[in-house]
PDB file of all heavy atoms in Angstrom:
ATOM      1  N   THR A  55      14.386   1.925  -8.734  1.00  0.00           N
ATOM      2  CA  THR A  55      14.072   0.494  -8.721  1.00  0.00           C
ATOM      3  C   THR A  55      15.314  -0.366  -8.965  1.00  0.00           C
ATOM      4  O   THR A  55      15.513  -1.388  -8.306  1.00  0.00           O
ATOM      5  CB  THR A  55      12.981   0.207  -9.768  1.00  0.00           C
ATOM      6  OG1 THR A  55      11.802   0.928  -9.378  1.00  0.00           O
ATOM      7  CG2 THR A  55      12.652  -1.267  -9.859  1.00  0.00           C
ATOM      8  N   SER A  56      16.180   0.056  -9.899  1.00  0.00           N
ATOM      9  CA  SER A  56      17.358  -0.773 -10.200  1.00  0.00           C
ATOM     10  C   SER A  56      18.310  -0.856  -9.002  1.00  0.00           C
ATOM     11  O   SER A  56      19.014  -1.858  -8.833  1.00  0.00           O
ATOM     12  CB  SER A  56      18.111  -0.238 -11.423  1.00  0.00           C
ATOM     13  OG  SER A  56      18.710   1.008 -11.126  1.00  0.00           O
ATOM     14  N   ALA A  59      16.734  -3.415  -6.769  1.00  0.00           N
ATOM     15  CA  ALA A  59      16.829  -4.714  -7.441  1.00  0.00           C
ATOM     16  C   ALA A  59      18.252  -5.273  -7.338  1.00  0.00           C
ATOM     17  O   ALA A  59      18.454  -6.470  -7.069  1.00  0.00           O
ATOM     18  CB  ALA A  59      16.429  -4.563  -8.912  1.00  0.00           C
ATOM     19  N   ILE A  80      19.052 -12.428 -16.832  1.00  0.00           N
ATOM     20  CA  ILE A  80      18.461 -11.578 -15.776  1.00  0.00           C
ATOM     21  C   ILE A  80      17.076 -11.121 -16.230  1.00  0.00           C
ATOM     22  O   ILE A  80      16.924 -10.552 -17.323  1.00  0.00           O
ATOM     23  CB  ILE A  80      19.321 -10.323 -15.482  1.00  0.00           C
ATOM     24  CG1 ILE A  80      20.730 -10.720 -15.031  1.00  0.00           C
ATOM     25  CG2 ILE A  80      18.652  -9.464 -14.406  1.00  0.00           C
ATOM     26  CD1 ILE A  80      21.679  -9.525 -14.849  1.00  0.00           C
ATOM     27  N   ILE A  81      16.092 -11.387 -15.390  1.00  0.00           N
ATOM     28  CA  ILE A  81      14.730 -10.907 -15.663  1.00  0.00           C
ATOM     29  C   ILE A  81      14.319 -10.014 -14.491  1.00  0.00           C
ATOM     30  O   ILE A  81      14.447 -10.416 -13.329  1.00  0.00           O
ATOM     31  CB  ILE A  81      13.732 -12.081 -15.778  1.00  0.00           C
ATOM     32  CG1 ILE A  81      14.134 -13.013 -16.929  1.00  0.00           C
ATOM     33  CG2 ILE A  81      12.312 -11.558 -15.974  1.00  0.00           C
ATOM     34  CD1 ILE A  81      13.288 -14.285 -17.011  1.00  0.00           C
ATOM     35  N   VAL A  82      13.849  -8.812 -14.791  1.00  0.00           N
ATOM     36  CA  VAL A  82      13.324  -7.946 -13.729  1.00  0.00           C
ATOM     37  C   VAL A  82      11.834  -7.745 -13.978  1.00  0.00           C
ATOM     38  O   VAL A  82      11.421  -7.318 -15.065  1.00  0.00           O
ATOM     39  CB  VAL A  82      14.042  -6.578 -13.681  1.00  0.00           C
ATOM     40  CG1 VAL A  82      13.338  -5.640 -12.695  1.00  0.00           C
ATOM     41  CG2 VAL A  82      15.504  -6.752 -13.261  1.00  0.00           C
ATOM     42  N   ALA A  83      11.033  -8.074 -12.976  1.00  0.00           N
ATOM     43  CA  ALA A  83       9.597  -7.831 -13.027  1.00  0.00           C
ATOM     44  C   ALA A  83       9.329  -6.519 -12.314  1.00  0.00           C
ATOM     45  O   ALA A  83       9.640  -6.392 -11.127  1.00  0.00           O
ATOM     46  CB  ALA A  83       8.847  -8.970 -12.347  1.00  0.00           C
ATOM     47  N   THR A  84       8.770  -5.560 -13.047  1.00  0.00           N
ATOM     48  CA  THR A  84       8.490  -4.256 -12.423  1.00  0.00           C
ATOM     49  C   THR A  84       7.488  -3.468 -13.242  1.00  0.00           C
ATOM     50  O   THR A  84       7.429  -3.610 -14.471  1.00  0.00           O
ATOM     51  CB  THR A  84       9.797  -3.444 -12.253  1.00  0.00           C
ATOM     52  OG1 THR A  84       9.510  -2.261 -11.500  1.00  0.00           O
ATOM     53  CG2 THR A  84      10.437  -3.053 -13.583  1.00  0.00           C
ATOM     54  N   THR A  86       7.470  -0.200 -12.217  1.00  0.00           N
ATOM     55  CA  THR A  86       8.081   1.096 -11.921  1.00  0.00           C
ATOM     56  C   THR A  86       9.571   1.057 -12.315  1.00  0.00           C
ATOM     57  O   THR A  86      10.446   1.195 -11.455  1.00  0.00           O
ATOM     58  CB  THR A  86       7.935   1.448 -10.423  1.00  0.00           C
ATOM     59  OG1 THR A  86       8.341   0.309  -9.644  1.00  0.00           O
ATOM     60  CG2 THR A  86       6.525   1.836 -10.070  1.00  0.00           C
ATOM     61  N   PRO A  87       9.833   0.822 -13.621  1.00  0.00           N
ATOM     62  CA  PRO A  87      11.233   0.783 -14.063  1.00  0.00           C
ATOM     63  C   PRO A  87      11.892   2.141 -13.822  1.00  0.00           C
ATOM     64  O   PRO A  87      11.194   3.152 -13.695  1.00  0.00           O
ATOM     65  CB  PRO A  87      11.118   0.499 -15.565  1.00  0.00           C
ATOM     66  CG  PRO A  87       9.760   0.981 -15.955  1.00  0.00           C
ATOM     67  CD  PRO A  87       8.885   0.759 -14.752  1.00  0.00           C
ATOM     68  N   ASP A  88      13.219   2.183 -13.790  1.00  0.00           N
ATOM     69  CA  ASP A  88      13.915   3.470 -13.642  1.00  0.00           C
ATOM     70  C   ASP A  88      13.456   4.431 -14.739  1.00  0.00           C
ATOM     71  O   ASP A  88      13.283   5.627 -14.513  1.00  0.00           O
ATOM     72  CB  ASP A  88      15.430   3.281 -13.782  1.00  0.00           C
ATOM     73  CG  ASP A  88      16.050   2.589 -12.575  1.00  0.00           C
ATOM     74  OD1 ASP A  88      15.340   1.813 -11.905  1.00  0.00           O
ATOM     75  OD2 ASP A  88      17.238   2.837 -12.308  1.00  0.00           O
ATOM     76  N   MET A  89      13.298   3.878 -15.950  1.00  0.00           N
ATOM     77  CA  MET A  89      12.832   4.646 -17.114  1.00  0.00           C
ATOM     78  C   MET A  89      12.298   3.620 -18.117  1.00  0.00           C
ATOM     79  O   MET A  89      12.458   2.423 -17.915  1.00  0.00           O
ATOM     80  CB  MET A  89      13.976   5.471 -17.708  1.00  0.00           C
ATOM     81  CG  MET A  89      15.200   4.660 -18.044  1.00  0.00           C
ATOM     82  SD  MET A  89      16.672   5.648 -18.256  1.00  0.00           S
ATOM     83  CE  MET A  89      17.536   5.388 -16.721  1.00  0.00           C
ATOM     84  N   PHE A  90      11.629   4.109 -19.198  1.00  0.00           N
ATOM     85  CA  PHE A  90      11.078   3.159 -20.182  1.00  0.00           C
ATOM     86  C   PHE A  90      12.170   2.274 -20.766  1.00  0.00           C
ATOM     87  O   PHE A  90      12.002   1.078 -20.928  1.00  0.00           O
ATOM     88  CB  PHE A  90      10.366   3.901 -21.309  1.00  0.00           C
ATOM     89  CG  PHE A  90       8.894   4.088 -21.058  1.00  0.00           C
ATOM     90  CD1 PHE A  90       8.169   5.013 -21.774  1.00  0.00           C
ATOM     91  CD2 PHE A  90       8.234   3.328 -20.107  1.00  0.00           C
ATOM     92  CE1 PHE A  90       6.814   5.183 -21.556  1.00  0.00           C
ATOM     93  CE2 PHE A  90       6.885   3.484 -19.882  1.00  0.00           C
ATOM     94  CZ  PHE A  90       6.172   4.422 -20.597  1.00  0.00           C
ATOM     95  N   PHE A  91      13.254   2.890 -21.157  1.00  0.00           N
ATOM     96  CA  PHE A  91      14.415   2.127 -21.596  1.00  0.00           C
ATOM     97  C   PHE A  91      15.646   2.933 -21.332  1.00  0.00           C
ATOM     98  O   PHE A  91      15.551   4.172 -21.280  1.00  0.00           O
ATOM     99  CB  PHE A  91      14.290   1.716 -23.079  1.00  0.00           C
ATOM    100  CG  PHE A  91      14.382   2.853 -24.054  1.00  0.00           C
ATOM    101  CD1 PHE A  91      15.605   3.248 -24.597  1.00  0.00           C
ATOM    102  CD2 PHE A  91      13.247   3.562 -24.429  1.00  0.00           C
ATOM    103  CE1 PHE A  91      15.688   4.305 -25.492  1.00  0.00           C
ATOM    104  CE2 PHE A  91      13.326   4.618 -25.324  1.00  0.00           C
ATOM    105  CZ  PHE A  91      14.545   4.993 -25.851  1.00  0.00           C
ATOM    106  N   PRO A  92      16.796   2.327 -21.110  1.00  0.00           N
ATOM    107  CA  PRO A  92      17.027   0.885 -21.122  1.00  0.00           C
ATOM    108  C   PRO A  92      16.254   0.157 -20.017  1.00  0.00           C
ATOM    109  O   PRO A  92      15.856   0.752 -19.015  1.00  0.00           O
ATOM    110  CB  PRO A  92      18.541   0.775 -20.885  1.00  0.00           C
ATOM    111  CG  PRO A  92      18.953   2.072 -20.285  1.00  0.00           C
ATOM    112  CD  PRO A  92      18.006   3.098 -20.785  1.00  0.00           C
ATOM    113  N   ALA A  93      16.076  -1.141 -20.244  1.00  0.00           N
ATOM    114  CA  ALA A  93      15.372  -1.973 -19.275  1.00  0.00           C
ATOM    115  C   ALA A  93      16.098  -1.929 -17.927  1.00  0.00           C
ATOM    116  O   ALA A  93      17.330  -1.850 -17.879  1.00  0.00           O
ATOM    117  CB  ALA A  93      15.314  -3.418 -19.779  1.00  0.00           C
ATOM    118  N   THR A  94      15.322  -1.988 -16.861  1.00  0.00           N
ATOM    119  CA  THR A  94      15.911  -2.025 -15.511  1.00  0.00           C
ATOM    120  C   THR A  94      16.851  -3.225 -15.374  1.00  0.00           C
ATOM    121  O   THR A  94      17.870  -3.147 -14.690  1.00  0.00           O
ATOM    122  CB  THR A  94      14.773  -2.061 -14.474  1.00  0.00           C
ATOM    123  OG1 THR A  94      13.982  -0.873 -14.666  1.00  0.00           O
ATOM    124  CG2 THR A  94      15.299  -2.075 -13.051  1.00  0.00           C
ATOM    125  N   ALA A  95      16.523  -4.325 -16.050  1.00  0.00           N
ATOM    126  CA  ALA A  95      17.380  -5.523 -15.985  1.00  0.00           C
ATOM    127  C   ALA A  95      18.775  -5.230 -16.524  1.00  0.00           C
ATOM    128  O   ALA A  95      19.773  -5.759 -16.026  1.00  0.00           O
ATOM    129  CB  ALA A  95      16.734  -6.673 -16.762  1.00  0.00           C
ATOM    130  N   CYS A  96      18.856  -4.380 -17.573  1.00  0.00           N
ATOM    131  CA  CYS A  96      20.174  -4.008 -18.120  1.00  0.00           C
ATOM    132  C   CYS A  96      20.943  -3.168 -17.099  1.00  0.00           C
ATOM    133  O   CYS A  96      22.158  -3.334 -16.934  1.00  0.00           O
ATOM    134  CB  CYS A  96      20.016  -3.226 -19.423  1.00  0.00           C
ATOM    135  SG  CYS A  96      19.304  -4.204 -20.752  1.00  0.00           S
ATOM    136  N   LEU A  97      20.226  -2.279 -16.399  1.00  0.00           N
ATOM    137  CA  LEU A  97      20.883  -1.452 -15.378  1.00  0.00           C
ATOM    138  C   LEU A  97      21.387  -2.336 -14.241  1.00  0.00           C
ATOM    139  O   LEU A  97      22.477  -2.126 -13.701  1.00  0.00           O
ATOM    140  CB  LEU A  97      19.905  -0.396 -14.846  1.00  0.00           C
ATOM    141  CG  LEU A  97      19.250   0.509 -15.908  1.00  0.00           C
ATOM    142  CD1 LEU A  97      18.243   1.456 -15.278  1.00  0.00           C
ATOM    143  CD2 LEU A  97      20.307   1.297 -16.662  1.00  0.00           C
ATOM    144  N   VAL A  98      20.600  -3.346 -13.900  1.00  0.00           N
ATOM    145  CA  VAL A  98      21.002  -4.271 -12.832  1.00  0.00           C
ATOM    146  C   VAL A  98      22.226  -5.079 -13.264  1.00  0.00           C
ATOM    147  O   VAL A  98      23.156  -5.289 -12.486  1.00  0.00           O
ATOM    148  CB  VAL A  98      19.829  -5.217 -12.454  1.00  0.00           C
ATOM    149  CG1 VAL A  98      20.301  -6.329 -11.528  1.00  0.00           C
ATOM    150  CG2 VAL A  98      18.698  -4.432 -11.807  1.00  0.00           C
ATOM    151  N   GLN A  99      22.229  -5.516 -14.526  1.00  0.00           N
ATOM    152  CA  GLN A  99      23.377  -6.281 -15.042  1.00  0.00           C
ATOM    153  C   GLN A  99      24.674  -5.515 -14.798  1.00  0.00           C
ATOM    154  O   GLN A  99      25.669  -6.047 -14.317  1.00  0.00           O
ATOM    155  CB  GLN A  99      23.187  -6.529 -16.542  1.00  0.00           C
ATOM    156  CG  GLN A  99      24.297  -7.336 -17.179  1.00  0.00           C
ATOM    157  CD  GLN A  99      24.429  -7.032 -18.663  1.00  0.00           C
ATOM    158  OE1 GLN A  99      24.808  -5.935 -19.056  1.00  0.00           O
ATOM    159  NE2 GLN A  99      24.075  -8.010 -19.486  1.00  0.00           N
ATOM    160  N   GLU A 100      24.638  -4.211 -15.118  1.00  0.00           N
ATOM    161  CA  GLU A 100      25.820  -3.358 -14.934  1.00  0.00           C
ATOM    162  C   GLU A 100      26.136  -3.210 -13.437  1.00  0.00           C
ATOM    163  O   GLU A 100      27.288  -3.380 -13.026  1.00  0.00           O
ATOM    164  CB  GLU A 100      25.545  -1.998 -15.597  1.00  0.00           C
ATOM    165  CG  GLU A 100      26.769  -1.130 -15.772  1.00  0.00           C
ATOM    166  CD  GLU A 100      27.044  -0.250 -14.575  1.00  0.00           C
ATOM    167  OE1 GLU A 100      26.069   0.189 -13.934  1.00  0.00           O
ATOM    168  OE2 GLU A 100      28.231  -0.014 -14.255  1.00  0.00           O
ATOM    169  N   LYS A 101      25.114  -2.938 -12.635  1.00  0.00           N
ATOM    170  CA  LYS A 101      25.338  -2.672 -11.196  1.00  0.00           C
ATOM    171  C   LYS A 101      25.918  -3.875 -10.451  1.00  0.00           C
ATOM    172  O   LYS A 101      26.698  -3.711  -9.527  1.00  0.00           O
ATOM    173  CB  LYS A 101      24.010  -2.276 -10.525  1.00  0.00           C
ATOM    174  CG  LYS A 101      23.601  -0.827 -10.746  1.00  0.00           C
ATOM    175  CD  LYS A 101      22.318  -0.521  -9.980  1.00  0.00           C
ATOM    176  CE  LYS A 101      21.514   0.588 -10.577  1.00  0.00           C
ATOM    177  NZ  LYS A 101      22.038   1.912 -10.571  1.00  0.00           N
ATOM    178  N   PRO A 108      21.729 -12.003 -21.607  1.00  0.00           N
ATOM    179  CA  PRO A 108      20.423 -11.393 -21.878  1.00  0.00           C
ATOM    180  C   PRO A 108      19.817 -10.831 -20.594  1.00  0.00           C
ATOM    181  O   PRO A 108      19.900 -11.452 -19.526  1.00  0.00           O
ATOM    182  CB  PRO A 108      19.576 -12.557 -22.399  1.00  0.00           C
ATOM    183  CG  PRO A 108      20.522 -13.649 -22.710  1.00  0.00           C
ATOM    184  CD  PRO A 108      21.780 -13.421 -21.963  1.00  0.00           C
ATOM    185  N   ALA A 109      19.202  -9.650 -20.726  1.00  0.00           N
ATOM    186  CA  ALA A 109      18.585  -8.996 -19.574  1.00  0.00           C
ATOM    187  C   ALA A 109      17.369  -8.230 -20.076  1.00  0.00           C
ATOM    188  O   ALA A 109      17.483  -7.427 -20.998  1.00  0.00           O
ATOM    189  CB  ALA A 109      19.584  -8.047 -18.914  1.00  0.00           C
ATOM    190  N   PHE A 110      16.213  -8.505 -19.500  1.00  0.00           N
ATOM    191  CA  PHE A 110      14.997  -7.807 -19.956  1.00  0.00           C
ATOM    192  C   PHE A 110      13.994  -7.686 -18.814  1.00  0.00           C
ATOM    193  O   PHE A 110      14.064  -8.424 -17.831  1.00  0.00           O
ATOM    194  CB  PHE A 110      14.371  -8.517 -21.160  1.00  0.00           C
ATOM    195  CG  PHE A 110      13.969  -9.949 -20.913  1.00  0.00           C
ATOM    196  CD1 PHE A 110      12.710 -10.267 -20.426  1.00  0.00           C
ATOM    197  CD2 PHE A 110      14.847 -10.996 -21.191  1.00  0.00           C
ATOM    198  CE1 PHE A 110      12.333 -11.592 -20.214  1.00  0.00           C
ATOM    199  CE2 PHE A 110      14.483 -12.323 -20.982  1.00  0.00           C
ATOM    200  CZ  PHE A 110      13.218 -12.618 -20.483  1.00  0.00           C
ATOM    201  N   ASP A 111      13.066  -6.730 -18.998  1.00  0.00           N
ATOM    202  CA  ASP A 111      12.011  -6.514 -17.993  1.00  0.00           C
ATOM    203  C   ASP A 111      10.715  -7.180 -18.438  1.00  0.00           C
ATOM    204  O   ASP A 111      10.473  -7.337 -19.637  1.00  0.00           O
ATOM    205  CB  ASP A 111      11.718  -5.014 -17.846  1.00  0.00           C
ATOM    206  CG  ASP A 111      12.856  -4.240 -17.218  1.00  0.00           C
ATOM    207  OD1 ASP A 111      13.862  -4.864 -16.833  1.00  0.00           O
ATOM    208  OD2 ASP A 111      12.724  -3.006 -17.102  1.00  0.00           O
ATOM    209  N   ILE A 112       9.883  -7.498 -17.464  1.00  0.00           N
ATOM    210  CA  ILE A 112       8.511  -7.907 -17.793  1.00  0.00           C
ATOM    211  C   ILE A 112       7.554  -7.027 -16.992  1.00  0.00           C
ATOM    212  O   ILE A 112       7.831  -6.667 -15.857  1.00  0.00           O
ATOM    213  CB  ILE A 112       8.246  -9.415 -17.524  1.00  0.00           C
ATOM    214  CG1 ILE A 112       8.648  -9.809 -16.095  1.00  0.00           C
ATOM    215  CG2 ILE A 112       8.973 -10.272 -18.529  1.00  0.00           C
ATOM    216  CD1 ILE A 112       8.182 -11.200 -15.720  1.00  0.00           C
TER     217      ILE A 112
END
Side-chain angles (χ1 to χ4, degrees):
T55 297
S56 68
I80 301 175
I81 299 174
V82 172
T84 187
T86 48
D88 288 28
M89 54 198 102
F90 268 163
F91 69 91
T94 300
C96 294
L97 305 177
V98 170
Q99 181 206 67
E100 193 271 326
K101 280 183 206 293
F110 59 89
D111 292 357
I112 52 170

